[in-house]
Amino acid sequence: MQRISTALALSVATIATGFLLGACENATTPNNTATTGSTAAPAANTNTTTDGLKIGSLLPTTGDLASIGQQMATAVPLLVETVNACGGVNGKPVSLIAIDDQTDPKAGAAGMTKLATVDKVAGVVGSFASSVSTAAVSIAAQNKVMLISPGSTSPVFTEKAQKGDFQGFWARTVPPDSYQGPALAELAKKRGYKRVSTVVINNDYGVGFEKAFVQGFEKLGGTVVNKDKPVRYDPKATTFETEATAAFAGKPDAVLGVFYVETGSLLLKSAYQQGVSKGVQVMLTDGMKSDEFPAQVGKGNDGKYIVSGVIGTVPGSDGKALDALKKLWKEKKNSSPGEFVPQAWDAAALLVLAAQAAKENTGVGIAGKVREVANGAGADSTEVTDVCEGLKLLKADKKINYQGASGNVDVDANGDVIGVYDVWTVGDDGKLKVIDKVNPK
């Protein structure tokens, strides 16, 4: 994956109101003017709004999670476009500055620093990778910028929020792996797997998920074969022969892989080439649910995709606003929204709704009103699924309870939500499909 220096990350080019995805930054401005530039010769920031709500996005359009992050990154400007078409926030258009975090904590920290100190945004949608959000959230909190992640699932954020580390400037529209781990353990039990091994990416996401799964699976009577010698790989690794061999050793019924797409695909391919995965069920998680990964792993000698038959879980979307989002996505992009698009949409929606509820375009104002607009503020709160309807009611000093596309997005004191999980698999044709749902007990 291409790396950029901190200096370069702090001067990436800006582009107005577009859905351009790449290793550059995008800026959406109310007057729709645009300039473009490469990272070698960055253009000046065209975002001149000084009194309207300014938000950012910090999502991976390159790197290990690019295949999932690219669609998420387009959801935010679509939300901003929708909001500006119905009058904006606090009487002004919303502006957006989008930064590619490259699935890299260093680039993410640099991007968050720029958004907070140079662009002076009030809120940010991001990041996807837990490791990047870990690098960004302290910067956000220090600068009083509200950070809402649509995909960082590590339980570490819950623990830190309980300690007050984030000062209220953190929330997420995706449930933590303290829920998904037990949900996957339930699925393993349901499938009759008694002995499971784990292999995970060595970061907050992988290790946090591993811990949650092991606890959940053992509670259900299962055995984790390599509990005392967990297999964890370097996120920057490019070869995985040793890890693949260790993960599939001991004749487990199944192997749980907690990966990102690029590195996970290489590991699964290595396991197949070494012959160690034959006859062993592979279980995966949300970090691998990408339409691209079956082809990245490749086909076997029989012509079938190597990962045909794998099963996994992913935070599902069952919110009341989902149908409307699907319709809008079809109209604008002639396709269906991908994984985590509903969560990204809802994260952006909460930022704008909270700013309107606070009647100020600041991170402090947003942080103080996020739970109120997400959960409702009493029996007189009106449930809304449409962001524009919510803004209209808030402008009239009414209270709302936003019902999102991903779910009801009821945010607790730690910034967490609870969700349902889809069970997915890969067919012989390499297509991914949802086959069931599972909930943590």
Side-chain angles (χ1 to χ4, degrees):
M1 163 172 80
Q2 182 180 4
R3 306 287 177 184
I4 60 175
S5 67
T6 300
L8 184 56
L10 292 173
S11 61
V12 287
T14 59
I15 300 174
T17 318
F19 297 157
L20 182 62
L21 299 172
C24 58
E25 170 194 335
N26 309 326
T28 299
T29 62
N31 60 8
N32 293 328
T33 59
T35 61
T36 63
S38 68
T39 54
N45 192 332
T46 60
N47 193 333
T48 58
T49 300
T50 57
D51 55 353
L53 175 64
K54 188 184 293 186
I55 65 173
S57 69
L58 188 67
L59 297 166
T61 57
T62 60
D64 211 350
L65 287 172
S67 60
I68 303 175
Q70 287 170 0
Q71 282 208 65
M72 297 169 67
T74 65
V76 184
L78 183 56
L79 184 284
V80 171
E81 176 187 311
T82 301
V83 167
N84 286 341
C86 64
V89 172
N90 292 320
K92 300 281 187 178
V94 178
S95 55
L96 169 67
I97 298 169
I99 289 181
D100 171 21
D101 66 34
Q102 303 174 60
T103 328
D104 177 35
K106 290 183 178 179
M112 186 68 239
T113 299
K114 179 181 183 299
L115 288 170
T117 63
V118 178
D119 302 311
K120 298 188 181 301
V121 300
V124 173
V125 177
S127 179
F128 184 28
S130 293
S131 58
V132 179
S133 288
T134 296
V137 66
S138 60
I139 299 168
Q142 289 168 9
N143 290 279
K144 294 180 170 52
V145 175
M146 186 67 198
L147 185 65
I148 304 183
S149 171
S152 294
T153 57
S154 172
V156 171
F157 296 106
T158 304
E159 298 168 7
K160 290 185 176 181
Q162 289 172 339
K163 297 176 182 177
D165 289 3
F166 306 143
Q167 305 170 51
F169 291 97
W170 163 263
R172 47 185 166 185
T173 53
V174 62
D177 290 331
S178 52
Y179 296 126
Q180 188 177 181
L184 193 53
E186 287 284 347
L187 178 61
K189 180 185 178 182
K190 182 179 179 180
R191 293 274 177 144
Y193 310 141
K194 297 179 180 179
R195 302 176 73 256
V196 176
S197 291
T198 61
V199 51
V200 308
I201 188 169
N202 193 11
N203 61 16
D204 285 345
Y205 168 58
V207 176
F209 199 114
E210 175 191 68
K211 179 181 178 181
F213 174 80
V214 170
Q215 291 177 344
F217 193 54
E218 289 185 335
K219 185 178 181 180
L220 295 172
T223 298
V224 178
V225 176
N226 63 340
K227 177 183 177 181
D228 295 331
K229 293 183 178 181
V231 182
R232 300 168 181 170
Y233 70 84
D234 186 338
K236 298 179 181 179
T238 56
T239 58
F240 300 92
E241 287 79 4
T242 301
E243 291 86 352
T245 299
F248 285 85
K251 298 182 179 180
D253 300 323
V255 169
L256 167 63
V258 185
F259 310 137
Y260 292 160
V261 177
E262 287 189 7
T263 50
S265 297
L266 290 172
L267 193 147
L268 291 175
K269 186 173 184 177
S270 178
Y272 171 80
Q273 291 174 337
Q274 295 180 77
V276 296
S277 59
K278 186 176 181 180
V280 181
Q281 177 65 56
V282 174
M283 302 176 66
L284 299 173
T285 62
D286 50 301
M288 286 296 288
K289 191 173 186 294
S290 165
D291 289 335
E292 298 180 12
F293 105 87
Q296 288 181 252
V297 181
K299 294 182 178 181
N301 296 329
D302 58 2
K304 293 183 179 180
Y305 284 87
I306 293 171
V307 292
S308 174
V310 304
I311 59 172
T313 53
V314 63
S317 299
D318 60 353
K320 294 180 180 179
L322 183 58
D323 287 344
L325 177 58
K326 287 181 176 179
K327 181 179 179 182
L328 179 63
W329 205 267
K330 181 69 174 178
E331 292 174 353
K332 295 291 185 178
K333 305 181 183 302
N334 196 32
S335 63
S336 298
E339 302 304 329
F340 294 97
V341 164
Q343 285 82 0
W345 175 272
D346 289 341
L350 289 178
L351 289 177
V352 299
L353 291 169
Q356 183 62 60
K359 291 184 168 38
E360 61 178 78
N361 299 324
T362 67
V364 172
I366 293 173
K369 290 293 184 178
V370 163
R371 294 189 65 202
E372 183 176 306
V373 298
N375 305 0
D380 58 341
S381 297
T382 301
E383 285 194 358
V384 296
T385 58
D386 181 82
V387 177
C388 288
E389 179 186 358
L391 290 170
K392 181 179 180 181
L393 289 170
L394 290 168
K395 289 173 185 176
D397 294 324
K398 304 292 184 181
K399 297 177 181 178
I400 68 166
N401 182 350
Y402 175 65
Q403 303 293 300
S406 61
N408 62 20
V409 293
D410 285 349
V411 179
D412 69 16
N414 300 315
D416 290 337
V417 297
I418 298 176
V420 65
Y421 295 93
D422 291 336
V423 179
W424 57 277
T425 189
V426 178
D428 290 344
D429 59 357
K431 302 294 185 181
L432 277 65
K433 58 183 178 180
V434 173
I435 57 174
D436 200 358
K437 291 186 181 296
V438 63
N439 292 288
K441 297 294 185 181

